[in-house]
Amino acid sequence: MRSERVVDVRTLFEDTDDYLQAACLSDWGGLDRKITRPRVQKAGLALAGFTKHVYGDRLQVLGLTEIDYLMSLESAVARDVLERYFAKRLSVVVLTRGLEPPDVLVEVARGTRTPLFRTSLLSSTFIQRVTRRLEALLAPRASIHGVLVDVLGVGVLLIGRSGVGKSEAALDLVLKGHRLVADDIVEVTVRPPDAIWGEATEFHQHHMEIRGMGILNITHLFGVAACRDNKKIEVVVELTESDGEDVDRLGTEGRVFPILGVDVPLVRIPLRPGRNIASLIEVVARNELLKVRGHDSARAFQAKVDARGAGTERVPPTPSQRIPLSEVE
Amino acid sequence: MSDAPTSGTIEIVNDLGLHARAAAKLVGLANKFESDIFLAREGREVNAKSILGVLMLACGKGSTVDVRAEGPDAEEAYAAVAKLIQEGFGEL
């Protein structure tokens, strides 16, 4: 399941008093206007009349430069440029540095019912923070049936058929001191450029269902360190009942599991009685750590095998080196 | 092969909605089938074999839920789940 995101102005500024330090200056509504892109625009040349590249669905920033420029204009001229700028049906206009909006700006904003905000932050800081928030709000999202666990700092997403033992394996991992992120439903988002992050919903965070026991609160049972709120997904482990040809015996096939267009390494583990799945997953995580450090055990081993093969072909043993059959018995 | 449906939209009819015990009943039933069964509401789809997911849907009385079954016994699975919901989880 994937949904294209938009965010309205109200949501963007909700609960961000400390982060964006912004307050609404307008009382004429327009808070339902939509922003669809994380990049903001600084008005700049638009105030000189060049409005060709002004996009209403991007947040508009007015800094000291813009306000000073407006103040330097005759009020009729200022009104004219502002009307042309606001005619682009701007989603929201934010003044930075705690600047006082000129009267003409307030009038034009009121006339077009464009929401006006003011932040005490500098333009650069505000743009950086609001871009981050917009990226988070606008990132593609999906929800995946699986369990996400932080194993030795590696985000491991367990997938597999219902009832295959994902939660049980995750519980085993928690008992070994690893941390649960989300059981059953993992909400995933892309953090640009290509990181996939997963978390639980607020509703089922820190909870887990184990068949036969029901719903468990992992934080209450194992302490605050047994859970974490979100984690980058670095490897996907699929628990499978089949032991057929879909199992990578060398570990060099480089399988991937695409999530929201990002390929995440996939390891398929066949279930067999007597296999300790949690230990295997822990080794998957360790192996992933090695790969991140630039050492791929499977490939290194394969290279060794290949080198040996190549070596014997090029230098066949000379007759004198051959051991006479009589000595071999 | 019969043409019995494997998906459809069903209304929650019991007073308490899809509450905890009703969800447990539904999940128990869903697990008897080999097919994958999904419930969806307001753009969120969850696995009917997991209680956390079903509870997350928070379906109240009068709301509707989309049920979909996929697999070898999809028709029976859909029919059984639909019947349980329509009968108000035995609470009517």
Side-chain angles (χ1 to χ4, degrees):
Chain A
M1 275 201 308
R2 185 180 173 151
S3 48
E4 288 306 320
R5 312 285 292 186
V6 292
V7 59
D8 61 34
V9 176
R10 185 177 290 112
T11 314
L12 173 64
F13 288 100
E14 221 163 45
D15 298 324
T16 56
D17 294 353
D18 289 339
Y19 188 62
L20 297 178
Q21 297 176 21
C24 185
L25 299 178
S26 52
D27 55 6
W28 47 82
L31 295 178
D32 296 325
R33 292 196 181 183
K34 306 280 187 273
I35 300 170
T36 60
R37 288 189 260 188
R39 281 173 60 206
V40 308
Q41 281 196 312
K42 199 134 183 298
L45 282 175
L47 296 184
F50 187 65
T51 55
K52 187 177 162 197
H53 296 292
V54 173
Y55 300 102
D57 58 352
R58 286 165 68 170
L59 179 140
Q60 303 289 322
V61 176
L62 299 183
L64 187 61
T65 322
E66 284 83 2
I67 296 302
D68 256 5
Y69 176 71
L70 282 175
M71 302 290 265
S72 76
L73 298 175
E74 280 181 35
S75 72
V77 181
R79 179 178 297 274
D80 180 50
V81 296
L82 282 172
E83 273 169 359
R84 283 161 70 180
Y85 177 49
F86 277 76
K88 291 284 189 167
R89 198 183 150 79
L90 308 175
S91 48
V92 57
V93 175
V94 182
L95 283 95
T96 57
R97 270 180 193 253
L99 290 163
E100 203 53 49
D103 293 342
V104 57
L105 174 66
V106 176
E107 284 162 27
V108 175
R110 178 181 286 124
T112 53
R113 294 172 44 81
T114 307
L116 205 57
F117 279 74
R118 176 169 59 189
T119 171
S120 50
L121 298 171
L122 296 181
S123 297
S124 53
T125 316
F126 176 75
I127 289 172
Q128 195 189 359
R129 290 190 181 184
V130 81
T131 306
R132 236 182 118 167
R133 179 155 165 85
L134 282 168
E135 273 177 356
L137 288 169
L138 294 170
R141 277 168 186 274
S143 76
I144 295 179
H145 180 65
V147 188
L148 180 57
V149 191
D150 172 351
V151 182
L152 300 165
V154 178
V156 180
L157 175 67
L158 302 175
I159 57 168
R161 279 180 59 92
S162 214
V164 87
K166 299 182 291 289
S167 297
E168 288 75 7
L171 185 63
D172 235 0
L173 287 164
V174 169
L175 282 165
K176 282 169 170 271
H178 304 295
R179 306 171 74 182
L180 174 76
V181 184
D183 179 42
D184 196 44
I185 293 164
V186 184
E187 304 268 308
V188 293
T189 56
V190 183
R191 288 202 193 166
D194 59 358
I196 295 287
W197 279 71
E199 61 185 6
T201 64
E202 203 194 334
F203 171 80
H204 81 299
Q205 207 176 32
H206 307 173
H207 286 81
M208 203 173 208
E209 186 218 349
I210 297 291
R211 274 151 219 242
M213 270 184 283
I215 295 168
L216 306 175
N217 184 319
I218 299 301
T219 312
H220 289 174
L221 282 170
F222 300 102
V224 71
C227 292
R228 64 178 288 174
D229 292 344
N230 52 28
K231 180 73 189 94
K232 183 179 167 189
I233 300 176
E234 280 139 307
V235 60
V236 177
V237 172
E238 183 183 354
L239 303 180
T240 147
E241 282 142 303
S242 84
D243 197 0
E245 288 178 0
D246 56 345
V247 172
D248 186 357
R249 297 301 294 259
L250 281 172
T252 53
E253 288 177 18
R255 293 181 176 174
V256 293
F257 183 82
I259 304 174
L260 295 171
V262 177
D263 286 342
V264 183
L266 169 71
V267 179
R268 210 170 260 150
I269 297 186
L271 297 164
R272 281 287 184 77
R275 288 190 114 186
N276 185 335
I277 300 302
S279 296
L280 294 176
I281 293 167
E282 201 177 270
V283 175
V284 168
R286 282 176 188 272
N287 208 22
E288 214 41 51
L289 281 174
L290 262 187
K291 284 184 191 168
V292 170
R293 290 260 180 99
H295 183 87
D296 189 324
S297 310
R299 282 184 204 281
F301 187 79
Q302 198 179 31
K304 207 167 137 185
V305 172
D306 290 349
R308 194 182 59 179
T312 49
E313 264 170 35
R314 270 187 223 124
V315 197
T318 54
S320 63
Q321 286 173 320
R322 285 192 186 138
I323 304 163
L325 275 174
S326 56
E327 286 178 29
V328 176
E329 290 289 302
Chain B
M1 264 311 256
S2 66
D3 289 328
T6 58
S7 68
T9 303
I10 301 162
E11 190 183 336
I12 307 282
V13 290
N14 58 316
D15 286 338
L16 293 171
L18 193 41
H19 63 102
R21 247 172 309 111
K25 228 175 204 174
L26 193 151
V27 171
L29 177 71
N31 273 294
K32 290 185 185 146
F33 296 96
E34 202 182 321
S35 298
D36 291 321
I37 307 168
F38 302 98
L39 303 181
R41 180 171 175 253
E42 288 172 0
R44 175 184 283 283
E45 186 176 80
V46 301
N47 189 325
K49 294 185 182 183
S50 107
I51 188 125
L52 282 175
V54 174
L55 284 174
M56 200 173 305
L57 288 182
C59 302
K61 184 181 182 182
S63 61
T64 59
V65 60
D66 298 326
V67 181
R68 181 166 66 85
E70 266 174 29
D73 52 2
E75 291 163 6
E76 295 93 313
Y78 172 73
V81 170
K83 184 163 174 271
L84 182 71
I85 301 175
Q86 279 158 352
E87 289 176 354
F89 306 97
E91 291 168 10
L92 294 181

